[in-house]
C-alpha cells in the first residue's frame, strides 16, 4: 500500500450557486413604481406609517413598528447629508488628487430629504470633496430628461439658501 | 398593503449571477483520486475501531481519530439500497424526465463500512446483489473516475 | 426543566405553491398576529429567533432583511439555519436561562423563489457526491425508502397509504395546499413515478409560507389563556447520508428518548394522544412511528395498517395533513409544533381531535432526517 | 431561579492563513476542534451538545455540518446550527451559552469557521445584496452607479468611517495608528493571519487608498480559519481548570439594514456610525452581568473591527467612554497591551478575518486573557472582566458578551 504523500495543495473541484434561477418577490417594486411615475411631475412621494408616523422615501411596504405604511405624502426636495464618502482616489485630510487613478471625483452622500425619516443614497455635484460635511444642506437636481427611473433622484447639489 | 395601494401580482426580480466555488478536496480525497487514477479503490481506516471509510475520511466520526491507515479494497461490493430514477434534477432545479430510467445504488464495497452512491449498469437491481466497481482512470473529470457499478455475474 | 415554559400564541399563513406576497410580508403578517394574540406590542421586551436559510432565500444573512417584519427591530435576535422547530428549541433555551421571559419564534421560506431541488443538492459532500449530481433530497429519500421497506417487508401500499391518509387529512385543514379528500393508496401508487419506489404523491411538495409562535415563562405564561406547556425537548444529529444506516431514523430516536425522559414518558404509545410528524416523504412517517416508540422496530407498516394513526384512531398522526399538506422548508417542523398546540388547546376546528392532553411534534433538517428535534407538549 | 454560571473551559484555533488548499472545509474545522478538546482536556464523549455556524455563501455548501460534523466529534450528538452573518461566531457562542444556562446541557462545544479560499470573498459579500440589486436594476438604477453606492470592495464601512470621523474628530492618522497597534499585537499571536511586527502608522499611511477614508492598510484580510470553544457549568469547569473564564452575559441587538433599504426603499438607519443598537446590546449585557460602570470595570476589550475606524467607534458604542473620546484615548496609549484598557490584544479582526469565526474569536481571546493563557499577547494588567463584540449585516447586527474571572452574582 502506497503511503499517502501529504500535499500542500490538493485537487480542487468546482461548483456554483446558480442564483440565476432564483426569482425574488418585492411589493416595494410596485410601491416604488408609483413614486417613479410621480418623478415625471417632479414630485417626491413617500409612504407614511399609520402606526408611528414615519415617512419612508422611497416607499417601503413595512415599518419597523410592524405596521404597513399606507398614506402617500409629498416629501421635500431639500434635505440634509447624514453620511458620505468619495469614489475615485484622493488622499484624505487635504484631499489631494495626487494619489491613485485620475478621474472625475464622485461624492456619494446619504441624504435625509425633509419630510421623510429615511436615508437615500445620492451623488453630490457642484461641490468639492473637502466641502462636504454631515449636516450639509442639499437640494435634489433633476436630470434633463426625467424617465421615471429610480436614479432620476440620484443627484443632489448644495442648497444655496 | 393598506387602502389605496394595490400591489396586484407581487412583482419579481432576478439576476443572471452565479457565484462560483473551488473546493480543495483535502489530502484524503486527493489520495483516493490518485488511487482511482491507477485503477485502485483506496479507503481510509480508523486505527482505533478499524472502521473503513470509502470515500475516505480524515477523521473517524466514531473515535475522533485520524484515519492514517489505508487499505486497497477489492472490486466487489453489495447493493445496500437502490432507486430507479425516472427523472434527474436539471440545472434550473426542476425534475427532468430521463430518456431511459437509470439505477442509482448505494453500494457497500467489500471491506468497507460506508457506502458509495453511484450508477448501477444493467437495468435491474436488488438489495443484496453483488456488484463490481467500474473505474475509468481516463474519465473527463476525475470525480467520475469511479464511474459506477455493474452486476458481478 | 428549570422553568415552566408555555406556547401562548401562534399564527400561520395559508400555505401555497406560489404566494402572492414576499417572504417579508408573510413574516410580518404572522409575527404581528402572534404578538397580538399574546398581548404583546413591538415595543415590549421579547427576544426573537427566526429560522431561515441563506440558500433558500437567495440572500446571505437572510435574517438581516427580516429585522423589521420579524418584529426584531432593536431586539435581541438570532437565527437558526435549520427547521423552525430548532428556532423554537433555541428560544426555549433563552427563556430557561432566565435571561429572557418571552420569545417570538418564526420560520419561513418560499419554494416559488428558489430553484426547487438545488439547495438540497448543495448539502452534499462537495468533494464527491455533489460533483456527481446523483444525490438530491428525493433520490436520497428513495434510497432510504427502499432500504427500510426491504429490511422490514414494508409494502408500497403501506407507504402510499400514509400519503393518502395525510392528503385526506389535509382536506380538512384550510391552510394546507396539497390536499385530496378521499385519497387512497391506489391513486398515490398510480401517480407519476419519480424515484422508484417513490411516486410524486408520496413527496411533500415544497411550498411558500411562514409561521410564528410566542413562547413564554413567568407572568405572561401564567396569565395566558389555555397555555400549552413544553414538557420535553430533544434533538440529535446523525452521520452523513452514505455513512449511516438508512433503515431507521437514529436522529429522531435519540431526540425522542431525551424528550420523553424530560417529559416523564415511558410508554409513548399509551401516554401520547396525538403526534404531528415532519415527513418529507411518506415512508418517513412509518419510520417515525418506530423512532418515536409508538411501535417496535420494523413494525411501522403493521402499526399503520391497524388504523391507530388515522384521525379517528387512538393515536392520530398528522391530522393537519403533515408536511404532505404543506411543506415549507424552515417552517414545516415549527408548523407541526403549532398544529400540536392547536389540538391541545382545542383550536383545530374541523380537524379537532377530542381529548388531546399530550402531543408530540417533530422537525427535521438535512437529507433523510439527518437532524431531528422533538417537542413533547401538554395541556393544563 | 438561580442563574447557571457558564464557564469557558477550552478554546482551539486552526491555522489562520489566506489559503488552506491542503484540507477541505471539514478537515480545516477539525484542527480547531481537536485543539479545543486538547486545551480542555476533554473528549467528544464528554460533550452534551454542539453548536456550529459559518457564513455559507462564502463556501458554497448549504448546511456544511451535514457533511462535516463527523469530523468534529458530533457523532449522534444534539447539534444546532446558527448563522447570522458577520456576527455568526458570536451568535454560535451565545447559543452555546444559552444551552448551558438553560440547564439542559452541561458541556457544549461551539464551532465557527470560514474557508474563504473555497469561494470568492467579494462575491460572497455581494450575495448579501444581489436580491435587492435585482429589484433596483428593474426600477432603473445603473449597475455601475449602484456598485459605487455600495462602496465597492469596502462596502458600507466607508460611509461609516467618514461619519465616525466627522462625529468624533478621529483623523486618518488615528486610523493608521489603529492598524499599526493591531498588526503589532497580531505579531505576538501565533494564531493570527497578518503579522506585521514593527509596522508603524507611517507605513500604513503609505498603503493604497481604496475609497475615502479607507486605505488598504485599514482593512482586514480574507482568512481561512476555524475556532472552537467548550463551555460548561461552573462546577464542571472547576474540575478542569484552576482559573476558568465565565461568560457572564450575552446580548444581541438588530437595527434596520442601512444604506440600501429593501430593493431601493429608504431606510431609517440613517447614520451607519450611530450604532444605537450596539449601545443597546452593550447596555443589556452589562445589566445582566451586574456591571454598573463599564469604564472602570472592564479590563480588556475585543471589539469586532475589520476596518480601523471600528476599533475606536465600537470602543465608544460599547460604552467604554463618551462618544468622541476614543481617538484621544488611543493617543494616550491606554489601548496598548500595557495600557489601562487594552483593546484587541489579539490583533483583532483587522489582522485575521475568517468571517464566520471572527466574532467567536473575540470571545475566546477575552477568555484567554482572563485565564492568563494569552501567551505573548497577554496584557500587562490583571484582567478580571472583559467585553467581546461582534458586528455584521448591513451595519445592523451587533452581539456583545461580557466575561469575567468570577461567576455572575445573582
Amino acid at each position: 500500500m502506497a503511503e499517502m504523500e501529504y500535499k500542500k495543495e490538493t485537487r480542487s473541484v468546482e461548483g456554483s450557486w446558480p442564483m440565476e434561477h432564483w426569482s425574488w418577490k418585492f411589493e416595494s417594486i410596485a410601491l416604488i413604481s408609483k413614486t417613479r411615475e410621480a418623478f415625471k411631475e417632479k414630485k417626491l412621494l413617500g409612504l407614511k406609517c399609520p402606526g408611528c408616523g414615519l415617512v419612508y422615501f422611497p416607499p417601503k411596504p413595512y415599518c419597523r413598528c410592524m405596521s404597513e405604511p399606507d398614506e402617500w405624502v409629498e416629501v421635500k426636495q431639500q434635505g440634509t447629508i447624514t453620511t458620505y464618502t468619495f469614489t475615485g482616489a484622493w488622499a484624505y485630510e487635504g484631499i489631494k488628487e495626487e494619489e491613485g487613478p485620475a478621474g472625475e471625483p464622485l461624492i456619494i452622500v446619504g441624504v435625509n430629504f425633509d419630510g421623510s425619516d429615511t436615508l437615500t443614497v445620492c451623488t453630490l455635484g457642484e461641490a468639492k470633496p473637502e466641502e462636504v460635511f454631515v449636516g450639509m444642506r442639499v437640494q435634489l437636481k433633476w436630470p434633463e430628461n426625467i424617465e421615471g427611473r429610480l436614479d432620476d433622484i440620484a443627484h443632489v447639489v448644495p442648497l444655496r439658501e | 398593503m393598506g387602502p389605496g395601494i394595490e400591489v396586484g401580482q407581487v412583482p419579481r426580480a432576478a439576476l443572471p449571477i452565479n457565484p462560483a466555488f473551488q473546493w480543495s478536496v483535502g489530502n484524503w480525497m486527493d489520495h483516493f483520486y490518485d488511487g482511482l487514477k491507477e485503477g485502485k479503490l483506496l479507503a481510509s481506516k480508523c486505527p482505533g475501531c478499524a472502521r473503513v471509510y470509502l470515500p475516505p475520511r480524515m477523521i473517524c466520526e466514531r473515535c475522533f481519530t485520524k484515519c492514517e491507515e489505508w487499505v486497497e479494497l477489492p472490486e466487489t461490493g453489495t447493493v445496500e439500497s437502490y432507486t430507479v430514477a425516472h427523472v434527474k434534477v436539471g440545472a434550473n432545479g426542476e425534475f427532468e424526465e430521463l430518456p431511459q430510467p437509470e439505477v442509482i445504488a448505494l453500494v457497500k464495497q467489500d471491506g468497507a463500512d460506508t457506502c458509495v452512491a453511484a450508477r448501477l449498469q444493467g437495468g435491474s437491481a436488488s438489495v443484496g446483489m453483488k456488484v463490481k466497481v467500474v473505474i475509468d482512470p481516463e474519465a473527463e473529470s476525475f470525480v467520475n473516475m469511479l464511474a459506477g457499478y455493474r452486476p458481478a455475474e | 426543566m428549570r422553568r415552566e415554559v408555555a406556547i401562548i400564541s401562534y399564527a400561520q399563513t395559508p400555505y401555497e405553491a406560489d404566494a402572492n406576497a414576499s417572504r417579508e410580508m408573510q413574516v410580518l403578517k404572522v409575527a404581528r398576529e402572534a404578538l397580538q394574540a399574546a398581548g404583546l406590542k413591538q415595543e415590549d421586551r421579547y427576544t426573537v429567533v427566526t429560522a431561515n436559510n441563506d440558500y433558500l432565500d437567495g440572500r446571505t444573512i437572510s435574517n438581516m432583511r427580516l429585522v423589521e417584519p420579524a418584529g426584531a427591530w432593536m431586539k435581541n435576535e438570532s437565527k437558526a439555519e435549520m427547521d423552525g422547530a430548532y428556532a423554537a428549541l433555541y428560544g426555549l433555551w433563552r427563556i430557561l436561562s432566565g435571561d429572557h421571559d418571552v420569545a417570538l419564534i418564526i420560520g419561513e421560506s418560499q419554494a416559488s423563489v428558489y430553484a426547487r431541488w438545488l439547495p438540497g443538492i448543495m448539502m452534499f459532500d462537495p468533494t464527491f457526491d455533489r460533483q456527481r449530481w446523483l444525490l438530491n433530497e428525493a433520490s436520497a429519500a428513495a434510497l432510504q425508502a427502499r432500504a427500510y421497506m426491504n429490511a422490514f417487508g414494508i409494502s408500497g401500499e403501506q407507504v402510499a397509504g400514509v400519503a393518502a391518509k395525510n392528503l385526506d387529512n389535509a382536506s380538512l385543514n384550510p391552510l394546507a395546499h396539497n390536499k385530496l379528500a378521499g385519497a387512497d393508496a391506489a391513486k398515490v401508487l398510480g401517480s407519476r413515478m419519480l424515484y422508484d419506489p417513490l411516486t410524486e404523491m408520496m413527496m411533500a411538495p415544497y411550498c411558500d409560507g411562514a409561521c410564528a409562535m410566542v413562547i413564554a415563562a413567568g407572568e405572561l405564561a401564567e396569565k395566558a389563556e389555555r397555555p400549552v406547556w413544553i414538557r420535553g425537548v430533544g434533538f440529535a444529529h446523525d452521520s452523513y447520508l452514505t455513512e449511516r444506516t438508512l433503515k431507521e431514523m437514529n436522529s429522531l430516536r435519540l431526540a425522542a428518548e431525551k424528550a420523553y425522559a424530560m417529559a416523564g414518558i415511558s410508554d409513548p404509545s399509551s401516554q401520547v394522544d396525538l403526534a404531528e410528524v415532519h415527513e418529507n416523504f411518506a415512508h418517513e412517517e412509518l419510520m417515525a412511528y418506530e423512532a418515536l416508540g409508538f411501535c417496535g422496530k420494523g413494525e411501522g407498516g403493521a402499526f399503520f395498517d391497524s388504523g391507530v394513526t388515522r384521525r379517528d384512531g387512538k393515536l392520530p398522526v398528522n391530522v393537519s395533513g403533515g408536511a404532505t399538506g404543506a411543506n415549507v422548508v424552515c417552517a414545516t417542523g415549527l408548523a407541526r409544533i403549532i398544529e400540536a398546540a392547536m389540538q391541545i388547546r382545542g383550536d383545530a376546528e374541523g380537524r379537532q381531535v377530542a381529548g388531546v392532553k399530550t402531543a408530540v411534534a417533530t422537525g427535521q433538517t438535512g437529507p433523510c432526517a439527518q437532524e431531528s428535534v422533538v417537542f413533547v407538549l401538554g395541556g393544563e | 431561579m438561580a442563574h447557571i454560571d457558564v464557564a469557558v473551559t477550552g478554546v482551539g484555533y486552526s491555522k489562520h492563513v489566506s489559503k488552506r488548499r491542503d484540507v477541505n472545509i471539514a478537515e480545516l474545522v477539525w484542527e480547531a476542534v481537536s485543539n479545543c478538546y486538547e486545551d480542555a482536556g476533554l473528549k467528544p464523549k464528554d460533550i452534551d451538545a454542539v453548536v456550529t455556524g459559518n457564513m455559507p455563501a462564502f463556501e458554497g455548501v448549504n448546511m456544511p455540518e451535514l457533511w462535516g460534523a463527523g469530523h468534529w466529534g458530533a457523532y449522534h450528538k444534539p447539534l444546532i446550527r446558527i448563522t447570522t452573518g458577520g456576527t455568526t461566531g458570536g451568535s454560535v457562542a451565545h447559543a452555546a451559552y444559552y444551552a448551558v444556562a438553560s440547564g439542559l446541557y452541561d458541556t457544549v462545544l461551539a464551532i465557527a469557521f470560514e474557508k474563504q479560499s473555497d469561494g470568492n470573498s467579494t462575491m460572497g459579500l455581494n450575495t448579501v445584496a444581489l436580491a435587492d440589486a435585482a429589484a433596483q436594476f428593474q426600477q432603473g438604477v445603473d449597475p455601475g452607479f449602484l456598485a459605487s453606492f455600495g462602496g465597492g470592495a469596502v462596502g458600507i464601512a466607508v460611509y461609516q468611517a467618514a461619519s465616525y470621523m466627522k462625529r468624533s474628530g478621529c483623523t486618518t492618522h488615528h486610523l493608521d495608528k489603529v492598524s499599526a497597534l493591531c498588526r503589532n499585537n497580531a505579531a505576538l499571536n501565533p494564531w493570527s493571519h497578518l503579522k506585521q511586527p514593527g509596522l508603524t502608522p507611517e507605513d500604513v499611511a503609505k498603503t493604497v487608498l481604496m475609497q475615502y477614508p479607507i486605505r488598504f492598510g485599514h482593512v482586514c484580510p480574507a482568512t481561512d480559519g476555524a475556532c472552537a470553544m467548550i463551555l460548561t457549568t461552573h462546577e464542571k469547569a472547576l474540575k478542569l481548570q484552576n482559573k476558568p473564564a465565565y461568560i457572564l452575559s450575552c446580548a444581541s441587538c438588530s437595527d434596520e439594514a442601512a444604506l440600501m433599504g429593501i430593493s431601493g426603499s429608504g431606510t431609517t438607519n440613517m447614520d451607519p456610525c450611530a450604532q444605537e443598537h450596539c449601545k443597546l446590546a452593550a447596555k443589556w449585557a452589562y445589566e445582566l452581568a451586574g456591571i454598573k460602570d463599564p469604564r472602570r470595570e472592564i479590563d480588556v476589550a475585543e471589539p469586532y473591527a475589520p476596518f480601523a475606524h471600528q476599533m475606536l467607534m465600537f470602543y465608544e458604542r460599547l460604552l467604554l467612554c463618551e462618544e468622541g473620546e476614543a481617538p484621544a484615548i488611543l493617543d494616550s496609549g491606554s489601548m496598548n497591551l500595557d495600557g489601562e484598557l487594552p483593546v484587541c490584544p489579539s490583533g483583532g479582526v483587522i489582522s485575521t478575518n475568517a468571517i464566520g469565526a471572527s466574532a467567536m474569536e473575540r470571545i475566546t481571546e477575552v477568555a484567554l486573557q482572563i485565564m492568563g493563557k494569552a501567551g505573548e499577547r497577554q496584557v500587562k494588567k490583571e484582567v478580571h472582566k472583559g467585553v467581546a463584540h461582534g458586528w455584521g449585516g448591513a451595519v445592523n447586527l451587533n452581539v456583545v458578551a461580557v466575561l469575567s474571572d468570577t461567576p455572575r452574582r445573582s
Side-chain angles (χ1 to χ4, degrees), chain A residues 6-12 16-17 19 24 26 28-33 36 54 56-64 82-93 95 99 106 108-112 116-123 132-134 148-152 154-155, chain D residues 20-23 31 57 60 127 130-132 134-136 138-142 145 148-151 158-160 162-163 165-167 170-173 175-176 204-205 207-215 218 255-256 258-272:
Chain A
Y6 198 88
K7 296 173 189 164
K8 283 201 156 164
E9 179 156 359
T10 63
R11 287 177 173 82
S12 286
S16 75
W17 177 6
M19 284 178 100
W24 299 281
F26 291 101
S28 55
I29 291 180
L31 301 182
I32 294 172
S33 296
R36 288 191 287 118
L54 290 180
Y56 289 86
F57 176 78
K60 190 173 149 183
Y62 51 78
C63 179
R64 65 192 198 189
T82 66
T83 184
Y84 63 91
T85 182
F86 317 111
T87 66
W90 300 283
Y92 27 86
E93 252 88 273
I95 309 182
E99 292 193 37
L106 189 59
I108 302 171
V109 295
V111 179
N112 171 223
S116 76
D117 298 285
T118 53
L119 167 147
T120 309
V121 187
C122 303
T123 58
V132 191
F133 61 95
V134 170
R149 291 166 56 90
L150 196 51
D151 56 17
D152 287 342
H155 305 282
Chain D
R20 279 299 298 275
R21 306 307 293 168
D22 60 327
V23 287
E31 281 182 14
T127 55
L130 288 182
D132 289 73
Q136 281 167 284
Q138 196 164 317
Q139 297 175 89
V141 172
D142 178 69
F145 197 51
S148 63
F149 275 17
V158 294
Y159 300 88
Q160 190 181 57
S163 297
M165 288 166 69
K166 179 69 190 176
R167 276 166 74 138
C170 167
T171 65
T172 53
H173 185 60
L175 304 187
D176 301 339
V204 179
T207 60
V208 173
L209 182 69
M210 296 176 77
Q211 186 165 339
Y212 175 83
I214 291 181
R215 288 184 181 279
H218 299 147
D255 197 354
E256 201 178 305
L259 201 58
M260 280 190 295
I262 190 158
S263 70
S265 307
T267 167
T268 62
N269 189 351
M270 284 201 278
D271 180 348

Side-chain angles (χ1 to χ4, degrees), chain C residues 359-376:
Chain C
V360 166
T362 78
Q364 62 158 293
T365 297
C368 303
Q370 189 174 345
E371 297 173 327
S372 291
V373 52
V374 172
F375 274 69
V376 179

Side-chain angles (χ1 to χ4, degrees), chain A residues 22-23 25 27 60 66 68, chain C residues 18-19 22 32 55 68 112:
Chain A
W22 268 244
S23 133
K25 298 178 190 173
E27 283 84 359
K60 190 173 149 183
M66 299 181 81
E68 293 169 49
Chain C
D18 184 1
S22 66
R32 195 166 55 198
Y55 283 103
E68 309 94 291
S112 65

Side-chain angles (χ1 to χ4, degrees), chain A residues 130-148:
Chain A
E130 61 266 36
E131 294 168 355
V132 191
F133 61 95
V134 170
M136 183 178 183
R137 296 284 294 159
V138 292
Q139 160 96 41
L140 181 65
K141 188 183 182 193
W142 292 101
E144 275 179 32
N145 297 313
I146 300 175
E147 294 176 35

Side-chain angles (χ1 to χ4, degrees), chain B residues 6-64:
Chain B
E6 283 300 321
V7 167
Q9 196 64 36
V10 61
R12 285 175 176 263
L15 261 189
I17 289 180
N18 302 321
F21 303 93
Q22 57 289 318
W23 301 282
S24 47
V25 302
N27 270 280
W28 269 252
M29 285 304 286
D30 202 68
H31 193 54
F32 170 68
Y33 288 123
D34 281 346
L36 288 173
K37 194 94 196 145
E38 295 170 22
K40 293 178 189 169
L41 266 189
L42 298 183
S44 65
K45 183 177 177 182
C46 172
C49 68
R51 198 170 154 80
V52 173
Y53 290 87
L54 184 82
R57 296 296 189 215
M58 182 176 92
I59 300 299
C60 173
E61 63 167 5
R62 303 198 179 176
C63 308
F64 198 65

